[in-house]
């Protein structure tokens, strides 16, 4: 009914722009003339925040890519869910910016707040992915059967992510380190889940051949 | 005569960039070290402005998507009208930015001005959509007949929007609240019109099958 | 040999981003609380500069669209010329920004400089378009014969533009008004040339049918 | 297994956005009213930095274009390597910004640091391209045999670039001029390598015909 190609073009556009805009948050530090090197050396946490965020959004793109590839058709509801999904993804620029600013100022209370909001947005993104998977699961006629592993392999993954990010928010109250590590664990979990998912799909493809 | 795919690619690009750039207006608040949480808590109106604007532009994209899908061919005039339409859409970044700034400063007179300009740009966007629909209605040979519901269902919608946004501008003179609510009503109206339109189309498709 | 679709995707991306980024130069004015309306009212020259620039870049996109549509194949040299063309087009953000800043400050000498650089970049863009047309003219085997009107109709147009922008630069020395009007004339000329070109093509198509 | 078109759309998006964002670093200079001309005249090093960076990223796009064109299929690992490649490419905005800032302030020590980081990012980009070529070389079944020249012609090129950029970093310690020239040589080398590569391919095509 609706065109898969325009949904892909719009989503690829949003992902490509967001991922390229993120790097603008990792900007030239303020410095006194002749002391640029020292100022840059202190930027490693910002660089780390950028690198982690880049691969987080990149993994979200990989999942989105596979999700759309597994669809035979697109209906109105899926288009609306996708619009919500892109909303949650664009929102991500804000916590990335908060974390970069808070880390640059090295204030513990502010870093805590920025980590909590970063985790909250990641939790929101995972919730929308859960709705996306759920919708596909209850509308199996929309599914391209060559991708049936997709559904089985990752049905519970967004729920696991939601739990991890929820835990990251709560533990941030006591410790930035534990909260930050759980946040990193959540992002690493996405990446591992993707590797796992694509390995499964490959094995199934081989069995079929 | 002209390529539908490049018109789509260019328009999707503009929509995707605009919708991703909007979020840059929802930026890290100025704050004193250690008081980031309080500063963020005060940002809810800016967040609301962003969320509303995102779904407004998203709905415009959905309509644009359906409009182009309903075309068999594209001619020069339609390409020019589309260029004008993209102009009205890019313009939207300015009032979004005005509203975010005015709300952040909590000055009633400035909020009024920003609401009026936001409504005026929305009115302009709807006027260009009216021209787009009108052109298709008077050039029915360009239409893909599988989408004939499209035309019947929404011919008057842009005029209704124009009336709503016009009213929003006028009532803003007396009250920011009424003006703001009418503005929200205008945006909600687009969304409801879209749901209505796509439901109609589905029913027609079923009858045909 | 090379893929037309990726050249189009890359070029459409650059055009869409540039045209959307231009609007960022038309930003919220600095104002004292409660005086936003007065500050906006003074922005009409910036708005005019944005509107003119938008339709200038939009017309460049229309020409680029038709140029690529008229190609059967793409070779390495054309890909390099296209890269140069995109360079000249991205460069355009700088004079747009200069003009917006200079106009906002209302200093005659600075406005003159900004107009001259704006004209110089427009002259550079037209020169690259001349090279593009010239290359197609001397490599007619790359041309899609259904578009033969394209070549005949506009061979001399870039040279006419170059002359107009050159004149705009020179006359700016004596008068901002004459320089500015010639600049506007150059941009209007592109638009009229495009209307003329597409009318020709339509008539030819009718004759063929 | 995976869709070549979305990998291309995403990568084209990132390249197009990055190359258009680069120009934002070449911004309106700070100036006293009436002295815009003098301020612009001093910007030639920033303009040079932009022009060089544009053609550097443009050449990277040309190589990426040819690389993907030479693939028959895409697997998970290639998608991950491409994500890493896009990471290295987006990172490029930072040193471009550093160089523009450092050059604008004319401080020798800061220019040195900015050149070294620019070279380091270029070295990183070349390393990822090396991994990309290496992966294709060890998975020849993924290759489109019509592009076999591609592999032979450029296998060692990334290693040569890595050596040049490494040398640029080291010599920058003694002289900004030598370091800067080696950096320029590295970028020119990419361009020459591309011309060489595409000439080879053309000759092979002729032999085959």
């Amino acid at each position: 009914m609706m065109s898969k190609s325009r949904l892909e073009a719009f989503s690829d556009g949003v992902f490509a722009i967001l991922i390229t805009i993120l790097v603008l948050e990792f900007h030239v530090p303020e410095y006194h003339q002749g002391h640029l090197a020292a100022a840059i050396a202190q930027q490693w946490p910002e660089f780390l925040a950028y690198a982690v965020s880049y691969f987080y959004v990149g993994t979200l793109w990989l999942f989105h890519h596979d999700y759309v590839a597994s669809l035979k058709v697109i209906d109105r509801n899926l288009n609306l869910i996708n619009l919500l999904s892109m909303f949650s993804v664009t929102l991500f620029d804000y916590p990335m910016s908060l974390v970069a600013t808070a880390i640059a100022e090295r204030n513990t209370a502010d870093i805590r707040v920025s980590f909590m909001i970063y985790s909250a947005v990641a939790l929101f993104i995972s919730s929308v992915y859960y709705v996306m998977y759920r919708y596909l699961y209850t509308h199996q006629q929309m599914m391209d059967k060559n991708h049936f592993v997709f559904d089985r392999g990752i049905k519970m993954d967004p729920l696991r992510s939601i739990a991890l990010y929820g835990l990251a928010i709560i533990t941030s109250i006591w410790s930035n380190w534990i909260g930050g590590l759980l946040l990193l664990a959540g992002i690493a979990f996405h990446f591992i889940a993707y590797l796992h998912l694509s390995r499964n799909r490959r094995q199934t493809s081989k069995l079929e051949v």
Side-chain angles (χ1 to χ4, degrees), chain A:
Chain A
M1 200 106 62
M2 310 214 64
S3 143
K4 248 177 83 162
S5 67
R6 282 202 73 180
L7 184 141
E8 285 180 345
F10 178 70
S11 308
D12 280 342
V14 171
F15 273 114
I17 296 154
L18 183 73
I19 221 168
T20 319
I21 277 179
L22 281 183
V23 80
L24 298 179
E25 301 298 340
F26 174 45
H27 43 59
V28 172
E30 288 185 33
Y31 66 98
H32 297 286
Q33 277 221 358
H35 296 81
L36 182 57
I40 290 172
Q42 290 201 323
Q43 280 194 297
W44 67 265
E46 286 95 318
F47 174 72
L48 193 69
Y50 171 64
V52 168
S53 300
Y54 176 91
F55 285 101
Y56 174 48
V57 176
T59 309
L60 290 176
W61 178 77
L62 289 170
F63 272 114
H64 191 272
H65 169 284
D66 285 16
Y67 181 80
V68 177
S70 76
L71 293 170
K72 250 192 327 212
V73 288
I74 289 175
D75 64 4
R76 188 197 64 186
N77 290 344
L78 208 69
N79 229 354
L80 294 177
I81 296 172
N82 188 58
L83 209 57
L84 184 65
S85 162
M86 289 302 107
F87 175 68
S88 68
V89 166
T90 61
L91 217 53
F92 184 71
D93 182 74
Y94 179 72
M96 163 70 198
S97 187
L98 281 181
V99 165
T101 309
I103 285 180
E105 306 225 344
R106 310 273 191 278
N107 179 291
T108 312
D110 296 340
I111 291 174
R112 167 167 303 128
V113 172
S114 71
F115 277 10
M116 288 171 85
I117 294 195
Y118 195 108
S119 294
V121 170
L123 192 153
F124 177 42
I125 291 173
S126 286
S127 307
V128 181
Y129 269 78
Y130 177 70
V131 173
M132 279 168 68
Y133 291 146
R134 183 94 209 142
Y135 189 77
L136 192 57
Y137 187 69
T138 56
H139 294 75
Q140 304 221 3
Q141 73 281 7
M142 296 174 67
M143 229 184 276
D144 184 340
K145 287 300 170 197
N146 297 327
H147 288 79
F148 70 97
V149 181
F150 182 65
D151 169 63
R152 181 152 41 96
I154 63 165
K155 205 167 50 184
M156 301 304 289
D157 278 1
L159 294 180
R160 287 189 196 105
S161 303
I162 291 170
L164 260 174
Y165 292 127
L167 212 61
I169 296 173
I170 295 165
T171 53
S172 289
I173 300 171
W174 294 284
S175 158
N176 277 352
W177 287 105
I178 297 175
L181 284 174
L182 279 168
L183 181 54
L184 275 180
I187 289 171
F189 171 73
H190 288 300
F191 193 71
I192 292 162
Y194 184 76
L195 293 186
H196 187 71
L197 162 68
S198 52
R199 198 175 312 121
N200 274 358
R201 199 179 334 129
R202 249 187 327 182
Q203 286 171 347
T204 320
S205 302
K206 276 181 196 152
L207 287 176
E208 282 168 7
V209 177

